[in-house]
Amino acid sequence: MTQHRRRLGAWLLAGVVLAVVLTLFQADRTGVSDPAAAPPATPTAAPSGTAVPAPTATPSPSATPSPTSSPGSAEPSPSGSGGSASSCTSPGSCGFPDENSTGPRIALERHDTGNMSVKKDGTVIKGWDIRGSLDVYANDVTVIDSRITSTNWWGINLRPGFSGLKVLHTTITAVPGKGPDNGGVNYAVSNMGGSSVEVGWCDISVFGNALSMGQGDLHDNYVHDLVAFRNQGGEWQHTDAVISGGGNKGRLILRHNTLLNSTPVDRGATAAVGLFADTGVVSSVVVDGNWLAGGAYALYGGGPGATGIQVTDNVFSTQYHPGAGAYGPVAAWNAGGAGNVWKGNRMSDGRPVTPEPTG
């Protein structure tokens, strides 16, 4: 009996040893050294407060973006175009200037200047909250990170014979009903000089003809809420976000601005951009990548004699009128003028804008 138990124990021990050997052999065959058998990796959680970057999708081929496809549009794409409705509902959400991207970036100190004349070359006005206006009789004057609230004809005026004016990151507005033109005010920035001025990242409102000049570099500005008024002659003052009277010898550049004219037509609305041959032929103007809305027409293109007018990649918004302006997007475009270019302009619902032939 004892001998039988010993044999049974030996067999059991041999079985255990064999099982261990088989287990080790199987583990060696199916271990992590075999890529096909390895378990999938588990992402490691990021520490609290750390953003985990999302995978970057491979971009699909697309056509060169236009202002309506890149920043978006305010309305659905036209039926049958293959596009979808956009969530873009305002200039700011479309990547154009608005109250959040213009005006002063620093705290301001109040200065009750009244109608102040600037006569020292190289003057820099920064961080001022001006109750008054600036009449510039000097070269290379810079107004930056400031606010001007005017009751004069203008907010800032550059006089003939002077140059180099820069107005940057500044709010320029006026007090309706308190201006000299029968209670109205006319020009936020006026260039009476013989050279270019720069106006950039400014928030401009109230003035009837907000940016008035034949030459200049106007970029990244937000012009809005123009206020209609009857002038001293008793007529409704014409209103334009940008106006040029022609006869300019330098170049006028309008690039990446929001130019709005919500004034009703029966109260003087003319244009978002008005290029008029009032004092001479309109020439050498660039209107590129702007958001335009309002006026009788959103853009007046200079008339029959205009040359060197480049109107490219602008969005004509329907926010006030179905045609951007009360009567349409554009008038007075001289398609046959030397150097005139019309390209890539769209309504905010995606339709291309094509000027009517001039008679």
Side-chain angles (χ1 to χ4, degrees), residues 286-315:
V286 173
V287 183
D288 176 63
N290 302 281
W291 178 282
L292 310 176
Y297 290 91
L299 170 70
Y300 280 83
T307 59
I309 315 298
Q310 301 175 29
V311 182
T312 56
D313 297 327
N314 297 283
V315 175

